[in-house]
Amino acid sequence: MCGIVGYIGLDNQEPIDGELFVKMVDSLSHRGPDGEGFYFSGSFNKNFIDKLKESRPNAIINFQNGGRTVALGHRRLAIIDLSPQAGQPMSDAERKIWIVFNGEIYNHREIRKQLENKYHFRTNHSDTECIIYAYKEWGKEFVNRLRGMFAIVIWDAQNDRLIAYRDRAGIKPLYYMMYNGRFYFASEIKALLQDRNFDRRINTIGLYHYLSFLVVPAPDTLFKDIYKLKAGHMIEIEKGTLKEQQEYWDVFDNTRKFENNDERQIADELLNHLEESVRYHLESDVPIGVFLSGGVDSSTIAALSSKILKRDVYGFSIGYKDDRKLTSYKNEFIYAEKVANIFNINYKPIEISQEDFLNFIHKLNYHQDEPIADPVCVPVFYLARFAKDNGVSVIQVGEGSDELFCGYEWWLRILSLQELDDRTDLKSLKLIAFSIAKLFREFKPRAYEYLRRSISGERIFWSGAEAFSEAEKHLMLSDELKQELKGLSSYEIIKWYHAKFLMRASDKSNLNWMSYIDLKIRLPELLLMRVDKMTMAASVEARVPFLDHKFIEYSMSIPSYLKYKSNQTKYILKKAVENILPKEIVYRKKQGFGTPVFDWFFDKLGSFAREEINRFNKQTNFFSKSFLDYLYTNAEGNKVWYILNLASWWEEWINKNKTEL
């Protein structure tokens, strides 16, 4: 697990200032505290290279004079093959192919066995080196043989090609921009922003979609002219020409139709696939743990990890001080501890307070780079830091299970609405209901929005991450911003994905659609980015066994009726694991990982948020003051948080930069 950064000259072959590039690499030091490396080609000043080697004697530094201007940088968190030889940037034996890579390739040993008779491997068991020779052997299609999470950038000097990949589920991020005739890329946006001459501006279209989805869907970001690679996509620069992003994998690419829908057989196969995924995800040369809530997902990962590993598994849980006084969240320690005791997990809980939450807010957007409007980011950071303080650098998390198996009870309400809408042909009846709903849209904005979608022929379910409806955005945005964005709807994004869903899915059920769109937006851009950014801020690697691509393919092949059955969410998954977990864990009511922002908005958090948001809005004039006052008055804690996250981001990355220049 690492941080990567670099650039390639396109129509500008002058190298950027070497010290600036070093700053770009250093800005990612939290992602890789165990080592650093640099590669330069082109006309870089040799004196700079010599000084860099002198000042950083332990760094990997390579320089090739002549050719296209390229710089690659790497910060290393050593997890697999801890030897210095496994550091990056790494090349093949001929020094023609160079790589920087963030992530883990779990099947690297299998790939090495296929290639070691043909290529000379110089490391003990580095997964990075396997990627290099996989590319040499199979070309750009090598990515289809990888099993893991990754952001990979390969510089092929012989063919004048730079190629970049983001893993299928979008577990690892990769950002890029075109600037001054160069193509830049990095694991985090902050590395790109080290050049203070870059004009930092808000992408107002991205802002509109952020207010819909709590994040800006790829390929856009909230920064104008900075982009992110979509999950399951690649981008290529060949002979100085940048090509468009290309999709190399989709959720439905390798799904299959079951010849025999025997429930027990499918449950057993599902457990076998999950155990195989967990086994791969336990590949590590350092201690490994689990974020353990005591729910079915994390408990299953803990149970399987304990069964497979021959050494200690660590379990970490987080809760909130004085939770008995909280109405919106209760700690789950009792369940997590029960699971830990059954499976001999080395269990360690931690509690945080409202003061801890407030103390981290200004650091939050530094680590997020762009708003990830989920307050769970804060406890994830504290939990990751707690794991690191206890000597654990690799953590497994349970993200993805709910989206694959219908784990949210509120999904069922949406399903009912969509099925009712599908059956209701009387447009006049809908129009009457819509007219009535208009009278109450300020009080029931969600109901109004669902009716609006129905009348407009849109899907009811847009994403599991929805902040403000189209109607609310019309009320909340200033007249100036509405004029700029005239006619824009976030349904444009949903419509594009729904067309792909209809072309690709053999099972076009509403439940399958809900899984599909969340695998495209909510998971890669919200849930997985909160995990990546917050764990890496603490120099911890997070792994996601439920999002192994082969497990996804099997899970998305399972008929929808087996995911919700007999009034049971996650029906088939629970059937699969009910013989390895206590039934009180498998079938307890889902709580979900959350934060008590509702309670805290009646306390210090509320006054802090109002002050921050009002100052932000006074300078930007993005929002209607009356709408903001409405949110404060009605204690809309989560919605206030979404705007607070935006305001804090603007202060950190836009306003502060203007005042410092």
Side-chain angles (χ1 to χ4, degrees):
M1 183 62 68
C2 312
I4 63 175
V5 61
Y7 79 88
I8 178 172
L10 303 184
D11 55 7
N12 186 346
Q13 293 303 305
E14 286 296 315
I16 66 170
D17 177 69
E19 293 300 329
L20 171 59
F21 187 72
V22 171
K23 285 183 181 179
M24 294 171 72
V25 177
D26 286 349
S27 71
L28 301 178
S29 59
H30 54 282
R31 296 185 76 94
D34 300 331
E36 60 182 342
F38 303 86
Y39 165 82
F40 303 96
S41 76
S43 56
F44 279 87
N45 187 296
K46 190 174 185 304
N47 289 334
F48 158 71
I49 303 293
D50 292 339
K51 287 181 180 178
L52 185 62
K53 289 180 177 180
E54 183 179 346
S55 64
R56 305 193 178 206
N58 296 320
I60 295 171
I61 301 174
N62 289 280
F63 173 57
Q64 291 182 313
N65 194 21
R68 188 174 294 277
T69 299
V70 175
L72 306 176
H74 183 262
R75 292 293 311 215
R76 185 185 187 196
L77 178 63
I79 301 295
I80 293 176
D81 192 343
L82 309 184
S83 66
Q85 290 75 23
Q88 301 178 41
M90 185 185 289
S91 75
D92 65 339
E94 294 76 29
R95 296 169 61 84
K96 297 290 187 182
I97 297 171
W98 292 84
I99 184 173
V100 282
F101 153 57
N102 168 31
E104 305 291 355
I105 306 303
Y106 301 121
N107 64 335
H108 66 96
R109 296 179 190 275
E110 298 162 24
I111 293 172
R112 180 182 284 246
K113 283 182 180 178
Q114 296 177 57
L115 300 174
E116 58 188 357
N117 290 333
K118 186 172 181 180
Y119 300 98
H120 175 62
F121 284 79
R122 293 167 290 166
T123 64
N124 294 326
H125 55 279
S126 164
D127 55 346
T128 307
E129 192 174 22
C130 285
I131 298 173
I132 293 174
Y133 292 116
Y135 170 73
K136 290 191 75 169
E137 181 69 15
W138 298 301
K140 291 182 288 186
E141 303 301 316
F142 80 94
V143 69
N144 297 317
R145 297 173 181 262
L146 304 185
R147 191 166 185 172
M149 56 180 184
F150 48 82
I152 298 169
V153 178
I154 292 173
W155 165 235
D156 182 343
Q158 187 169 358
N159 293 301
D160 193 6
R161 174 193 297 147
L162 185 136
I163 191 165
Y165 300 84
R166 186 180 180 191
D167 67 72
R168 299 169 180 88
I171 303 167
K172 307 314 302 173
L174 190 66
Y175 300 92
Y176 64 91
M177 69 179 184
M178 289 288 296
Y179 178 57
N180 282 347
R182 305 179 185 98
F183 175 87
Y184 293 80
F185 65 86
S187 295
E188 296 183 9
I189 294 174
K190 64 177 60 65
L192 304 177
L193 297 178
Q194 295 305 304
D195 188 338
R196 304 305 295 274
N197 292 317
F198 176 75
D199 186 13
R200 304 183 188 186
R201 292 179 291 160
I202 292 180
N203 171 13
T204 52
I205 293 176
L207 169 63
Y208 188 88
H209 295 319
Y210 165 82
L211 295 172
S212 296
F213 304 117
L214 288 75
V215 288
V216 181
D220 286 338
T221 72
L222 201 49
F223 290 95
K224 190 171 180 59
D225 300 324
I226 296 180
Y227 304 93
K228 52 194 167 191
L229 203 52
K230 286 185 175 184
H233 280 64
M234 58 172 280
I235 197 165
E236 181 180 4
I237 297 169
E238 191 161 23
K239 295 179 173 58
T241 299
L242 175 63
K243 301 180 181 180
E244 291 186 2
Q245 289 193 28
Q246 298 176 37
E247 187 178 47
Y248 68 85
W249 181 84
D250 181 72
V251 169
F252 293 120
D253 277 358
N254 297 297
T255 52
R256 63 185 176 90
K257 187 174 179 63
F258 290 105
E259 294 180 5
N260 179 5
N261 287 348
D262 180 79
E263 186 178 298
R264 186 67 260 164
Q265 180 181 337
I266 292 174
D268 290 343
E269 287 180 358
L270 181 64
L271 182 59
N272 289 338
H273 280 284
L274 183 56
E275 184 170 346
E276 179 183 74
S277 176
V278 171
R279 188 181 301 277
Y280 273 115
H281 282 72
L282 290 172
E283 171 78 8
S284 174
D285 293 329
V286 298
I288 195 164
V290 180
F291 282 171
L292 184 59
S293 69
V296 64
D297 303 329
S298 64
S299 298
T300 298
I301 292 172
L304 293 175
S305 298
S306 177
K307 172 186 173 182
I308 295 165
L309 272 186
K310 304 302 182 186
R311 61 180 190 271
D312 284 347
V313 176
Y314 295 81
F316 300 96
S317 299
I318 194 165
Y320 304 98
K321 293 177 181 177
D322 300 321
D323 73 309
R324 285 171 293 182
K325 299 177 182 179
L326 302 174
T327 61
S328 57
Y329 191 87
K330 298 296 180 184
N331 295 339
E332 299 180 275
F333 292 148
I334 185 171
Y335 300 106
E337 188 171 8
K338 181 179 182 66
V339 171
N341 289 336
I342 292 172
F343 297 105
N344 297 314
I345 304 294
N346 191 336
Y347 177 63
K348 297 179 183 295
I350 182 178
E351 288 184 328
I352 62 173
S353 65
Q354 182 180 185
E355 285 68 29
D356 295 322
F357 195 92
L358 285 166
N359 288 338
F360 187 65
I361 285 178
H362 284 304
K363 298 177 184 176
L364 177 63
N365 273 287
Y366 174 78
H367 289 298
Q368 287 182 337
D369 283 340
E370 59 172 339
I372 305 168
D374 188 338
V376 166
C377 287
V378 179
V380 169
F381 168 78
Y382 280 106
L383 193 54
R385 191 176 69 176
F386 183 56
K388 190 73 173 182
D389 290 345
N390 281 274
V392 176
S393 295
V394 179
I395 284 291
Q396 295 186 94
V397 298
E399 268 74 4
S401 172
D402 289 321
E403 289 72 22
L404 288 171
F405 298 104
C406 184
Y408 303 111
E409 291 189 0
W410 61 269
W411 269 31
L412 306 179
R413 297 193 293 273
I414 307 296
L415 274 172
S416 298
L417 286 172
Q418 185 64 68
E419 288 166 4
L420 176 63
D421 185 57
D422 292 343
R423 292 195 302 268
T424 305
D425 297 325
L426 298 176
K427 190 170 184 178
S428 57
L429 182 62
K430 292 181 183 179
L431 286 169
I432 293 170
F434 185 59
S435 299
I436 296 171
K438 276 185 179 179
L439 301 174
F440 303 100
R441 62 181 170 184
E442 289 190 25
F443 307 101
K444 295 289 184 181
R446 188 58 58 191
Y448 170 82
E449 173 65 11
Y450 291 156
L451 275 166
R452 187 202 64 75
R453 293 176 187 178
S454 173
I455 292 294
S456 304
E458 300 172 358
R459 307 310 297 164
I460 303 296
F461 186 80
W462 283 18
S463 167
E466 284 199 64
F468 298 97
S469 69
E470 296 294 285
E472 285 177 303
K473 283 183 288 184
H474 182 77
L475 293 172
M476 73 187 294
L477 296 180
S478 66
D479 290 340
E480 293 84 355
L481 192 53
K482 279 190 286 190
Q483 183 63 32
E484 181 182 343
L485 299 171
K486 190 175 182 179
L488 182 64
S489 168
S490 290
Y491 190 64
E492 293 172 12
I493 292 174
I494 301 303
K495 184 179 180 180
W496 186 84
Y497 278 117
H498 191 249
K500 285 188 171 292
F501 169 77
L502 293 177
M503 284 191 297
R504 294 172 174 178
S506 56
D507 175 4
K508 295 176 174 56
S509 68
N510 291 321
L511 183 57
N512 233 18
W513 157 247
M514 295 168 81
S515 292
Y516 185 78
I517 190 61
D518 267 7
L519 285 163
K520 295 297 183 180
I521 296 180
R522 185 171 186 254
L523 269 164
E525 310 308 340
L526 179 72
L527 301 187
L528 295 176
M529 288 305 94
R530 83 180 182 191
V531 169
D532 175 84
K533 300 295 178 60
M534 296 301 103
T535 56
M536 291 309 296
S539 303
V540 169
E541 171 180 293
R543 298 178 175 181
V544 197
F546 282 106
L547 293 178
D548 169 77
H549 78 278
K550 289 188 178 294
F551 185 76
I552 292 174
E553 290 167 358
Y554 184 83
S555 301
M556 291 300 289
S557 300
I558 295 174
S560 297
Y561 71 85
L562 287 177
K563 296 181 179 181
Y564 174 64
K565 182 179 176 182
S566 304
N567 294 320
Q568 191 65 247
T569 56
K570 290 188 186 172
Y571 176 84
I572 194 64
L573 178 65
K574 290 174 180 177
K575 285 294 179 184
V577 303
E578 65 181 2
N579 291 329
I580 64 172
L581 292 176
K583 280 190 167 53
E584 65 181 283
I585 297 295
V586 176
Y587 293 104
R588 79 177 180 91
K589 184 176 176 61
K590 179 180 177 63
Q591 176 169 315
F593 191 19
T595 55
V597 292
F598 176 82
D599 296 86
W600 290 346
F601 269 111
F602 291 100
D603 199 357
K604 298 174 185 176
L605 182 59
S607 56
F608 171 82
R610 185 186 292 242
E611 182 180 332
E612 288 273 309
I613 291 170
N614 287 344
R615 182 170 62 248
F616 158 74
N617 201 47
K618 186 176 181 180
Q619 297 184 67
T620 63
N621 191 34
F622 282 156
F623 303 123
S624 157
K625 185 178 183 302
S626 61
F627 186 86
L628 295 178
D629 289 340
Y630 169 81
L631 293 182
Y632 303 145
T633 303
N634 289 273
E636 296 267 10
N638 283 332
K639 291 181 178 179
V640 174
W641 173 262
Y642 306 150
I643 301 175
L644 174 60
N645 211 253
L646 174 67
S648 298
W649 167 83
W650 178 84
E651 180 61 35
E652 175 67 37
W653 292 112
I654 305 293
N655 195 44
K656 186 189 292 186
N657 182 64
K658 289 179 179 177
T659 58
E660 289 177 354
L661 284 177

